[in-house]
Amino acid sequence: GALPVGPTIGAESLIIITGLIGIFFALFLHRRVAAVRLDVAQEEDETMMMSVKEAGQNQTFEQNERLRELYAAISNGANSFLFSEYKLCTVFVVFLAGVIVGLVSWSSGRETAIFTATSFVVGALTSMLSGYIGMRVAVFSNARCTVGAVKPAPHGWTESFNTAFRAGGVMGFSLCGLALLCLYALVVFLAPSFSWGTTAGAMKLFDCIAGFGLGGSAVAMFGRVGGGIYTKAADVGADLAGKVVEDLPEDDPHNPGTIADNVGDNVGDVAGMGSDLFGSFGEASCAALLVGASSPMIVAAGWGALMFPLTVSGVGIVVCLITNFVATDLSPVRKEADIERVLKTQLLVSSLLMTPCVYGLAVALLPSATCGGCTGGFYIGSICSSRINAFLCVAFGLWGGCLIGFVTEYYTSFSYSPVKEVANACRTGAATNIIYGLALGYKSAIVPVFLLSLIVYGAHTLAGFYGIALAALGMLSTLATCLAIDVYGPVCDNAGGIAEMCELHPSVREKTDALDAAGNTTAAIGKGFAIGSACLVGLALFGAFVTRLEDAAGGDLHVDLLDPITFAGLLVGAMLPYWFSAMTMKSVGMAANAMVIEIKRQFDANPNLLIPNHPDRPDYDTCIKISTDASLQEMIAPGALVMLSPVLCGVCFGTRCVTGLLAGAIASSVQMAISSSNTGGAWDNAKKYISKGAMDAVIGEEEPETVDNTGKVQTKKSQIFKAAVTGDTVGDPLKDTSGPALNIMMKLMAIISVVFAPLFLAIKDGDGLLGFVVHDKDVAAAHDAVVAATRRLAQVPVASPAGGGELVAMAFGLVVGVGGVLAVQRATAPPRAKAAKPALVCRAAKVEGTPVEPRLLAHTASLA
């Protein structure tokens, strides 16, 4: 069981060194962020200095005081929520660790149970630490991003962007380094207790290691659901009571919900995302290690071949480190148009650099042997694979993730026609805006699902379930860069809110809003990566579950959809994402309702809050408490639904039902997650597209009352903008609560099935409690009868008519009948006046019919 000291020691060194590089580079980036002083006086340009001189020197002092006060309030609120959430998570971790010891001991022995529980606890604690680091660095950086935006262009663009992006880098590199080192340390710690040099010993080792992924995803579920409910309850409540009802600007300091909204960006979008992607890394790695250990040729090749999945993640840290300097030093942001280009360049450059590195690792570490019919490769199950095949599987995931990200950008960025169509639909009210947004979300799932299908088919053809696990790791190999892009958005969003509440010069808010708009798009790209990787991880874990069943059965196992119990599980699994989404959406609605009532109460109690520039400030703490209490109470039921479903299914109905449950849940969740995230992202950016003035010409013509005495259109007072705000408000829980949490649902159900597979197999040989009621031979006979009946039905000959006359007569009668109905309707209908095509169906890219649209198109072109 001792670790090797031969040539494969290079893999161990690579994993340790790259993990340490990630952590030290995160510390370096943190120092760069900390170098920005919380002092707007040091950064002001000449325009703002003139404003200060006119108002007196006290203005800058008050702004600095307000900046530090807000920084402290957001920090305290985020700390308070996260500590409360992690207290509950700690109780849950201790309880579930005891459950794992009890149930796995009964089915697999006490030693295996203790090692699995140990892995679970390590994974859970690492996930908590990752979320906490992300939250702290986001809170630490948001005010500094505001200070950077105070500088005049182009330095203001560069400083504010670099501060937010480096903050994301701290999260990305610390999480990747920490996750890699903790997982490898756990493997090294447990390896001496198993004969990992044999296939049976290696599989037992990685069976226990699977608990690491379970711990990460269990905490991520509470982080995503709890944080999502917190942030969207505050966001929706503040928007409805402040912006929609009282016409307050976004992040107005008189709105009692603004601090809770800013706190939510950190605990939901940052801490939740960090835990989510940490779980993806842990589960994809566990699946690849477990399925790889089922190959005697990989095990015989040594420790380096077994650790190939972890070396891919390790090299990814170095590649992302090099790519990071491209954004901040080699090709920095100097103007608004540079933002999206720089962020998209990160994805392309990291993928380009990663491709040859993966090829080198595959050639250096994986076996190239001859065994039976497999020449120059290795067997995975019954599939003969090779080094090149493994490289291609990783490449499929790597580049497939990029394509999914860019498709997501197309559907969520206002640079392209889909979001412009949604914005144009606001002209006829909130209802048509919502209809267009829903249609966009459904349509946006088409290409990503085709891409995922191709990846799954190609990877499985080349290397079985091992190939699917490698594809998932390929999609996550540039995780540090993806996280940097994800965290960048919430930091910029908070920076804009702080600028508004500190009443800084409007040019500061213009910069942060532009950074945030790009951040919304890149966040949608990040969600696309997260959803795609979650689908592949869930399927890889499904493969690991089947591998465990095959190991117990001593041969290949085929999932048969004609088996009634499997198909029943499939139907239930496909339903679960809807049940889960209903619970999380309703939780957000209930919490937002309480928030609206509290904000309205404060407005009624103190009317001064509605007077612009009045010094009175609301009670922020009560709103923070409402979001905190609601999220902690409401996150339990959805989490229990996801965790108990596979356990109850396996215990009561057996392993065949679980296979159907997992297949249905993965297939349904991925479609719903994509459509929910993209619908919400499109509504959000449609609102920003209108608010930046892109539709002012239309607003001025259709709503002349919004034009002031100087001829300037008051965009945010228009009905078109209010319709966009309504759509954005509806989309908030879709894109930031239900959609992202479905990622974890796919993975968590699968990893629970892997960990508790021995328990399922121990109950009536995998038939569950149902096996005690229905005897094996009765089940088998019923199954055989269904199969035989289906085959007989498929072989029944269809009687053909003596001639073609009957078919011709039937077709002729059908045409005459339909034609007669249409003719009667046309003859009896009242005459229709020739009218222009309604503006609703005039697409922004193809203008027809109405005279307003060409002006809108010209105005849009001038802005571009």
Side-chain angles (χ1 to χ4, degrees), residues 12-170:
E12 182 176 15
S13 302
L14 177 65
I15 294 168
I16 294 173
I17 291 171
T18 53
L20 291 173
I21 287 174
I23 292 175
F24 283 117
F25 188 66
L27 293 174
F28 166 76
L29 291 177
H30 187 270
R31 289 191 61 184
R32 297 292 299 273
V33 173
V36 179
R37 293 174 54 190
L38 291 178
D39 186 358
V40 296
Q42 299 296 319
E43 310 294 348
E44 288 178 330
D45 64 359
E46 295 179 1
T47 304
M48 286 175 240
M49 285 303 295
M50 290 175 62
S51 301
V52 171
K53 289 176 182 177
E54 291 173 4
Q57 294 296 325
N58 286 336
Q59 182 177 0
T60 302
F61 175 77
E62 290 173 0
Q63 287 174 340
N64 277 333
E65 288 297 308
R66 185 67 179 154
L67 181 76
R68 297 186 181 102
E69 177 187 336
L70 291 170
Y71 169 76
I74 294 171
S75 178
N76 291 337
N79 278 333
S80 174
F81 169 75
L82 215 60
F83 283 135
S84 299
E85 182 182 57
Y86 283 173
K87 282 180 186 176
L88 287 179
C89 287
T90 301
V91 173
F92 165 77
V93 167
V94 172
F95 170 75
L96 189 54
V99 171
I100 291 172
V101 170
L103 294 180
V104 178
S105 293
W106 178 68
S107 56
S108 300
R110 187 170 184 80
E111 184 182 45
T112 300
I114 291 175
F115 287 154
T116 303
T118 301
S119 300
F120 168 76
V121 171
V122 172
L125 294 178
T126 309
S127 182
M128 289 185 196
L129 182 59
S130 299
Y132 179 76
I133 290 172
M135 184 275 293
R136 288 305 309 161
V137 72
V139 170
F140 183 77
S141 307
N142 50 29
R144 289 168 170 80
C145 181
T146 305
V147 172
V150 174
K151 285 186 177 182
H155 300 295
W157 290 107
T158 305
E159 287 299 316
S160 54
F161 174 86
N162 284 357
T163 300
F165 190 72
R166 284 171 179 150
V170 175

Side-chain angles (χ1 to χ4, degrees), residues 166-321:
R166 284 171 179 150
V170 175
M171 171 70 164
F173 287 99
S174 61
L175 183 145
C176 291
L178 194 64
L180 186 62
L181 290 176
C182 287
L183 178 56
Y184 188 70
L186 186 65
V187 172
V188 171
F189 174 74
L190 296 183
S193 301
F194 298 89
S195 301
W196 65 266
T198 65
T199 302
M203 287 198 68
K204 286 182 179 179
L205 167 63
F206 295 120
D207 280 347
C208 298
I209 294 297
F212 181 86
L214 174 58
S217 266
V219 171
M221 171 58 75
F222 291 118
R224 260 303 193 191
V225 175
I229 293 172
Y230 184 108
T231 182
K232 292 303 111 180
D235 194 0
V236 172
D239 281 355
L240 288 176
K243 288 197 295 187
V244 175
V245 177
E246 302 295 347
D247 285 332
L248 292 176
E250 187 162 4
D251 294 312
D252 190 290
H254 295 97
N255 191 330
T258 50
I259 296 295
D261 184 12
N262 283 277
V263 170
D265 290 335
N266 297 290
V267 300
D269 295 343
V270 178
M273 173 64 83
S275 295
D276 180 2
L277 289 176
F278 168 80
S280 291
F281 164 81
E283 287 159 330
S285 300
C286 291
L289 292 171
L290 179 58
V291 179
S294 67
S295 169
M297 301 171 76
I298 289 180
V299 174
W303 191 250
L306 279 172
M307 292 297 109
F308 171 70
L310 298 188
T311 61
V312 171
S313 301
V315 170
I317 293 175
V318 178
V319 167
C320 292
L321 184 152

Side-chain angles (χ1 to χ4, degrees), residues 367-390:
S368 178
T370 300
C371 180
C374 190
T375 303
F378 52 90
Y379 271 113
I380 290 288
S382 58
I383 296 175
C384 178
S385 188
S386 67
R387 297 167 169 178
I388 301 300
N389 287 1

Side-chain angles (χ1 to χ4, degrees), residues 795-861:
Q795 294 170 1
V796 173
V798 179
S800 58
E806 292 88 345
L807 292 177
V808 173
M810 184 175 68
F812 181 79
L814 182 63
V815 171
V816 171
V818 173
V821 171
L822 294 176
V824 170
Q825 287 182 342
R826 180 67 175 169
T828 57
R832 293 182 300 175
K834 189 171 180 69
K837 182 181 282 189
L840 175 62
V841 296
C842 290
R843 297 172 181 257
K846 297 179 180 179
V847 179
E848 301 175 15
T850 174
V852 179
E853 290 294 322
R855 283 196 289 276
L856 171 60
L857 192 63
H859 182 64
T860 305

